[in-house]
Amino acid sequence: MLTINLERLKESIRALSKIGYNEADHGVYRWGFTDADMEARHWLLDQVKSEGFKAHMDGAGNVFFGIGDYHKKPAVLTGSHLDTVPAGGIFDGALGVLAGLEVLRTIKANDVPLNHPVWVVATAEEEGRFGGMMGSQAITGSLNMDWLMSAHDADDVYLKDAMAVHGLDVMNVLDAAWPPERLKAFYELHIEQGPVLFNEDICIGAVEGISGVFKWIVHLKGKADHAGTAPMNMRSDAFMGLADFAHEIERIIAEDGTDKTRITVGKVDLKPGSPHTVPGEAVFTIVGRDMSSEVMKELADSCRKALSAIARKHRLMFEYEQVSWLDPQACSNRLTQIIENKAKARNLSCLRMPSGAGHDTQFFANLTEAGLIFIPSVNGVSHAPDEWSRWHDVEAGTHVLLDCILESAS
Ligand code: HGY
Ligand code: MN
Ligand code: MN
């Protein structure tokens, strides 16, 4: 069995983690199409070209590098995203990209004969600044011009403008689509971002299905007023409306959700934001998730009804924009079986499981057979500076990724 070079992989992960690193909170800041995100893309292009791999960036900002010509034979593709959430960790996304690079290095160093090209993709804007999974949606042809022209973040920065700052024309995103015949299989190696593998002391997760996620930007509009003179029963206080909604979430999940349902209010802005003024407006995000599209639709309906009733009660106007709706997706049974077999062949404990987090795999699954490999997250922590995975788990996950890719490419 081939072995990867863990020290070399650790070195790459550490080098990438320095891009967008914030000394103050030890978090990584590479939000989609920020300077740090693009710096990471150019660092990766330089790094893989210096190692002799063919490499390019497509119109959506996805970075590709690999061995062989995918115009001649369908490729086995692996990878993940390079962007992070603000104050993110060093493994979310980066692990899948750099483990893919380590697989290529190992194939090259051992002169492994391949029947199919093997390529790696570092996708763009997976984390949802502008909706999420933009890079993999571009590759799978799931985007349209209307969405691209209107996509904006919660601070009203437009995607097209954020891309233009880096010389990327949003019109070229539509040229990033890959035809299905160009792909033989897609594998992603990712940290679990939850506690199951770590708590049950299991090395590898073979993911059977990926949760769907919808994202709303909600405006509750009331009336700014004097915090000292406006009587409590005469206010149109947008914050009180938001506070009521927060208390509705538990009921909404109990009535319309499942044990896999998650609803999160992750970003809130109160306007005008002065301590001596009754908030006239609350702008906040709602991110709802479940393994079933039908349940997601029920949850969305239930959130809408709750917000309408709250608006009436507090004399508010309620508007929302559905920024993204990403359906849940099953992974390829065949590839999941390969993942399980390869883990067992290396005497690694393995568990078939769902993914509560969204992943690029859920879009590649529309184009080709797609498999998702998890390694444990220490204490299940992710999307935070203390996100951590043990190096022996990184090594084990990369070995399973290598073996799966060779199984599909030979
Ligand atoms: O938020 C997610 O589901 C993923 O980490 N983008
Ligand atoms: Mn991720
Ligand atoms: Mn993430």
Side-chain angles (χ1 to χ4, degrees), residues 81 85 92 126-128 132-133 190 193 211 213 287 289 355-360 362 382-383:
H81 56 95
V85 292
D92 180 6
E126 188 272 354
E127 289 289 8
M133 321 273 174
H190 204 286
Q193 300 182 296
S211 172
V213 48
V287 172
R289 303 169 189 250
S355 169
H359 294 287
D360 287 316
Q362 68 199 95
S382 182
H383 280 193

Side-chain angles (χ1 to χ4, degrees), residues 214 252-253 255-263 288-303 325 327-328:
F214 68 84
I252 288 168
I253 295 176
E255 287 175 3
D256 298 305
T258 67
D259 63 327
K260 299 285 186 301
T261 298
R262 307 285 185 272
I263 296 177
R289 303 169 189 250
D290 196 85
M291 297 300 288
S292 144
S293 299
E294 289 63 45
V295 171
M296 283 171 64
K297 288 184 188 103
E298 299 279 313
L299 294 168
D301 256 347
S302 202
C303 289
W325 182 284
D327 276 317

Side-chain angles (χ1 to χ4, degrees), residues 372-385:
L372 178 56
I373 306 164
F374 274 170
I375 63 166
S377 291
V378 172
N379 300 321
V381 170
S382 182
H383 280 193

Side-chain angles (χ1 to χ4, degrees), residues 223-235:
K223 174 81 182 61
D225 217 333
H226 193 295
T229 53
M232 294 309 283
N233 65 347
M234 292 172 71
R235 295 179 174 197

Side-chain angles (χ1 to χ4, degrees), residues 53-73:
F53 295 107
K54 289 187 270 187
H56 68 275
M57 188 189 293
D58 71 8
N62 298 306
V63 171
F64 289 89
F65 53 98
I67 298 171
D69 182 350
Y70 50 69
H71 293 293
K72 291 209 176 89
K73 281 189 95 171

Side-chain angles (χ1 to χ4, degrees), residues 67-135:
I67 298 171
D69 182 350
Y70 50 69
H71 293 293
K72 291 209 176 89
K73 281 189 95 171
V76 175
L77 185 66
T78 186
S80 193
H81 56 95
L82 212 50
D83 59 309
T84 73
V85 292
I90 71 167
F91 292 99
D92 180 6
L95 170 68
V97 173
L98 297 173
L101 172 55
E102 184 52 34
V103 164
L104 287 180
R105 288 164 171 161
T106 307
I107 289 172
K108 197 171 159 194
N110 293 279
D111 253 343
V112 178
L114 298 172
N115 263 347
H116 290 270
V118 174
W119 278 69
V120 184
V121 60
T123 59
E125 215 299 86
E126 188 272 354
E127 289 289 8
R129 177 184 174 190
F130 297 102
M133 321 273 174
M134 193 211 99

